[in-house]
Amino acid sequence: MPEVKSILREVLPKQGQLYMEDVPTMVLCKPKLLPLKSVTLEKLEKMQMEAQEAVKQQELAMKEQGQQMPS
């Protein structure tokens, strides 16, 4: 059976309007897991907790010094 190659020729209208409809389609991809807290936020929280602990230590030291003075 011989192969028949048909050549399609593009035809543009001489009258009227030519339009092309481009319909956007949704592309599904794998969901990305995002951390609840960013690394930067965790570092800032850690620094804040360390600063609060340092303040508490200083307050306790000040109270102990104040109690020792009147004696």
Side-chain angles (χ1 to χ4, degrees):
M1 182 174 213
E3 289 186 28
V4 177
K5 292 185 180 180
S6 62
I7 299 174
L8 295 177
R9 195 170 50 111
E10 187 177 286
V11 178
L12 296 175
K14 301 285 184 202
Q15 296 177 351
Q17 295 180 351
L18 176 66
Y19 71 95
M20 184 175 137
E21 189 174 326
D22 186 23
V23 180
T25 58
M26 294 180 71
V27 177
L28 299 177
C29 59
K30 293 168 69 174
K32 295 178 182 168
L33 297 176
L34 298 174
L36 295 176
K37 291 184 180 180
S38 67
V39 175
T40 307
L41 181 61
E42 288 180 1
K43 286 181 183 178
L44 288 173
E45 287 180 346
K46 183 179 176 184
M47 288 172 56
Q48 185 178 13
M49 288 178 62
E50 289 173 353
Q52 287 176 347
E53 288 294 322
V55 168
K56 285 181 184 177
Q57 293 292 332
Q58 288 177 353
E59 288 176 353
L60 288 174
M62 293 290 281
K63 284 182 182 177
E64 288 177 4
Q65 286 179 356
Q67 289 176 356
Q68 290 177 359
M69 287 288 218
S71 299

